[in-house]
């Protein structure tokens, strides 16, 4: 090989390197453009009002004074990691992508009963469950609606998170004027944007945790409709009627920033009844503390569904739900947070089957109405059929 051949090879190599550099530069520019477009699209999407609003101004000042708000976010009273020991984000993602979990959705429609809520008698004392955690309560002359979700979805992403067939039997127009709309926290399966809009002129007042009112104000609610409370604070209704805002063990957030609003449970204390609603919560000592202070509880509405051993610090397993009912000194228990959406990997009917089995021999009455079937609060015992056994 002579000098001319060597120079020719070098020249070709330099030319190839130039082409490679040019190609890499074009690829880098293309990637930057793609990232910019995706970022802009996500940012625009996140501006939709359904994502709500973070607390600012006077609302944030009040939050900063809460003993439950530290290091820029609300904290549980017991350390609450996202995953239990032995589990990890990577492992859970791998299961979600590569493993199959049969039976998560019923093949047949969930049964429902259409109760005429608009024409209940003045002296009616009932609770009506609407699937998942949504409940209507008429007790001692007051109307209360808890965590209503009637839009058919619990996801901000269109065409996802859809409800089971047969579970969307009620809409906002089916309800009488609501004295108190109770919101346990701002996750989409408890605070539904479309439902909140539909109830804006029907709900006299909203009771929620600190910061959650910012969402409602963005959605057009008046400031005087909103009552935002910290744990262990009380809304006095009448002489013998109060709603206590109490702790839960959970998380919050509708966007990328989490735990900027407070999650709560409620105790509705009327002249004749004590009704407790857990909201979403992992098992913790707050149940026994509430039971010791306010018990016995006439009816405990407790989370029992959308659970997993990996995240049981923030969602109770069925045996923990039974223990919570016992801690509360509950006479009866209505298990909720099931039978409407797929938010976990267990079969859709497992929560009811397990709580039914666990309750055998217990003195706590387990209430299992179908959607829309009234629970009569003045009756000490009301039998319900095990309707989930007849669903494919």
């Amino acid at each position: 090989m002579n000098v001319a051949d060597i120079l020719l090879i070098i020249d070709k190599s330099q030319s190839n390197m130039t082409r490679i550099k040019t190609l890499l530069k074009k690829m880098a520019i293309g990637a930057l453009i793609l990232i910019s477009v995706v970022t802009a699209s996500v940012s625009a999407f996140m501006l939709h009002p359904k994502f709500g609003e973070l607390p600012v101004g006077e609302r944030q000042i009040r939050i900063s004074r809460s003993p439950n708000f530290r290091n820029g976010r609300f904290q549980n009273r017991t350390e609450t990691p996202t995953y239990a020991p032995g589990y990890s984000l990577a492992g859970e993602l791998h299961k979600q992508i590569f493993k199959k979990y049969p039976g998560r959705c019923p093949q047949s429609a969930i049964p429902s009963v259409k109760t005429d809520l608009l024409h209940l008698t003045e002296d009616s004392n009932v609770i009506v469950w609407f699937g998942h955690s949504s409940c209507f309560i008429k007790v001692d002359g007051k109307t209360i609606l808890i965590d209503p979700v009637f839009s058919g979805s619990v996801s901000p992403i269109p065409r996802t998170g859809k409800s089971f067939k047969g579970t969307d039997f009620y809409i906002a127009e089916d309800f009488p004027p609501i004295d108190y709309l109770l919101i346990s926290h701002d996750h989409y399966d408890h605070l539904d944007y479309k439902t909140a809009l539909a109830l804006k002129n029907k709900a006299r007042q909203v009771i929620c945790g600190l910061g959650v009112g910012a969402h409602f104000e963005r959605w057009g609610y008046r400031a005087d409709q909103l009552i935002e409370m910290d744990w262990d604070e009380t809304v006095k209704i009448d002489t013998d009627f109060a709603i206590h805002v109490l702790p839960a063990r959970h998380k919050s957030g509708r966007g990328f920033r989490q735990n900027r609003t407070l999650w709560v449970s409620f105790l509705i204390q009327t002249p004749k009844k004590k009704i407790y609603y857990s909201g979403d919560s992992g098992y913790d000592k707050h149940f026994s503390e509430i039971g010791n202070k306010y018990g016995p509880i006439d009816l405990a509405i407790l989370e029992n569904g959308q659970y997993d051993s990996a995240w049981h610090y923030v969602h109770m397993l069925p045996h923990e739900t039974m223990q919570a009912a016992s801690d509360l000194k509950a006479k009866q228990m209505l298990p909720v947070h099931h039978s409407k959406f797929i938010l976990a990997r267990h079969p859709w009917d497992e929560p009811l089957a397990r709580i039914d089995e666990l309750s055998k021999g217990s003195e706590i009455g387990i209430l299992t109405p179908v959607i829309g079937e009234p629970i009569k609060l003045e009756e000490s015992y009301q039998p319900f059929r095990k309707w989930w056994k007849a669903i494919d």
Side-chain angles (χ1 to χ4, degrees):
M1 181 180 293
N2 57 34
V3 174
D5 292 332
I6 295 172
L7 291 174
L8 181 62
I9 292 171
I10 293 172
D11 182 62
K12 287 181 177 180
S13 297
Q14 290 174 338
S15 178
N16 288 336
M17 286 300 297
T18 300
R19 291 192 187 98
I20 292 170
K21 288 179 180 179
T22 301
L23 178 61
L24 290 173
K25 187 180 291 185
K26 289 180 178 179
M27 290 174 64
I29 292 171
L32 287 173
I33 293 172
L34 179 61
I35 291 170
S36 298
V37 169
V38 171
T39 301
S41 299
V42 171
S43 298
F45 179 62
M46 294 296 292
L47 291 174
H48 192 284
K50 64 186 168 186
F51 291 100
E53 194 74 58
L54 288 173
V56 295
E58 290 297 322
R59 181 173 275 115
Q60 184 58 46
I61 291 173
R62 184 184 174 196
I63 286 172
S64 67
R65 294 174 181 151
S66 169
N68 305 303
F69 188 82
R70 301 183 299 279
N71 302 320
R73 62 186 61 211
F74 284 103
Q75 309 282 345
N76 287 296
R77 288 181 173 170
T78 300
E79 184 179 358
T80 305
T82 301
Y83 296 107
Y87 299 91
S88 67
L89 174 60
E92 294 309 298
L93 286 175
H94 183 272
K95 291 178 188 176
Q96 194 69 25
I97 295 170
F98 296 106
K99 292 191 70 174
K100 293 184 178 181
Y101 297 90
R104 297 169 75 199
C105 181
Q107 299 303 303
S108 304
I110 299 292
S112 304
V113 171
K114 193 64 179 278
T115 295
D116 185 358
L117 303 174
L118 292 171
H119 296 96
L120 293 172
T121 60
E122 187 61 31
D123 60 350
S124 295
N125 288 287
V126 299
I127 291 181
V128 181
W129 171 69
F130 306 105
H132 204 61
S133 295
S134 305
C135 295
F136 170 81
I137 303 175
K138 183 173 175 62
V139 59
D140 291 334
K142 306 296 183 185
T143 55
I144 298 169
L145 187 57
I146 302 176
D147 287 356
V149 178
F150 304 131
S151 68
S153 173
V154 287
S155 171
I157 302 172
R159 293 181 292 278
T160 63
K162 292 185 177 181
S163 55
F164 296 156
K165 184 179 178 181
T167 60
D168 288 314
F169 213 53
Y170 288 80
I171 57 175
E173 287 72 22
D174 293 324
F175 292 86
I178 302 300
D179 292 316
Y180 298 97
L181 173 59
L182 307 188
I183 301 296
S184 64
H185 63 297
D186 65 5
H187 284 160
Y188 299 99
D189 59 322
H190 293 260
L191 176 53
D192 181 59
Y193 167 65
K194 290 182 179 180
T195 303
L197 288 183
L199 292 170
K200 182 166 55 177
N201 297 320
K202 195 173 287 265
R204 187 165 68 87
Q205 289 192 303
V206 178
I207 302 179
C208 55
L210 293 176
V212 177
H215 302 311
F216 282 95
E217 281 200 7
R218 182 173 185 188
W219 300 337
Y221 280 67
R222 304 184 317 274
D224 62 4
Q225 284 179 279
L226 308 174
I227 302 175
E228 297 174 64
M229 306 294 280
D230 205 346
W231 291 339
D232 299 316
E233 292 185 339
T234 296
V235 180
K236 193 73 173 175
I237 307 302
D238 279 330
T239 303
D240 297 317
F241 202 125
I243 298 177
H244 305 283
V245 180
L246 300 170
R249 189 184 187 189
H250 199 55
K251 296 178 182 295
S252 67
R254 296 176 75 83
F256 297 118
R257 285 182 281 183
Q258 303 294 295
N259 300 346
R260 297 286 298 277
T261 61
L262 187 61
W263 50 96
V264 304
S265 63
F266 295 102
L267 177 68
I268 302 164
Q269 188 166 8
T270 84
K272 298 178 182 177
K273 296 290 180 181
K274 294 177 186 176
I275 303 167
Y276 176 75
Y277 172 63
S278 69
D280 280 3
S281 181
Y283 179 75
D284 204 8
K285 60 186 178 181
H286 66 280
F287 291 115
S288 61
E289 291 171 349
I290 293 167
N292 289 336
K293 183 173 182 179
Y294 296 104
I297 304 297
D298 294 291
L299 175 60
I301 307 171
L302 297 182
E303 175 197 277
N304 178 59
Q306 317 314 320
Y307 51 73
D308 193 288
S309 295
W311 59 76
H312 78 101
Y313 288 145
V314 292
H315 286 291
M316 288 187 286
L317 301 172
H319 73 275
E320 294 173 318
T321 299
M322 281 302 302
Q323 184 60 55
S326 177
D327 291 351
L328 290 163
K329 302 178 174 65
K331 299 174 184 177
Q332 295 183 308
M333 188 250 282
L334 171 63
V336 299
H337 210 245
H338 58 79
S339 301
K340 191 165 184 175
F341 304 105
I342 298 175
L343 296 173
R345 296 187 286 250
H346 58 67
W348 77 270
D349 57 347
E350 182 183 284
L352 285 167
R354 290 188 63 186
I355 207 72
D356 180 57
E357 183 65 27
L358 288 165
S359 68
K360 290 179 178 178
S362 171
E363 294 182 357
I364 300 170
I366 306 300
L367 308 178
T368 57
V370 300
I371 289 174
E373 185 177 7
I375 298 170
K376 299 174 183 178
L377 290 172
E378 292 176 344
E379 294 190 7
S380 58
Y381 174 74
Q382 185 177 350
F384 294 98
R385 63 189 175 95
K386 299 178 182 181
W387 56 266
W388 61 93
K389 293 188 175 184
I391 308 299
D392 296 332

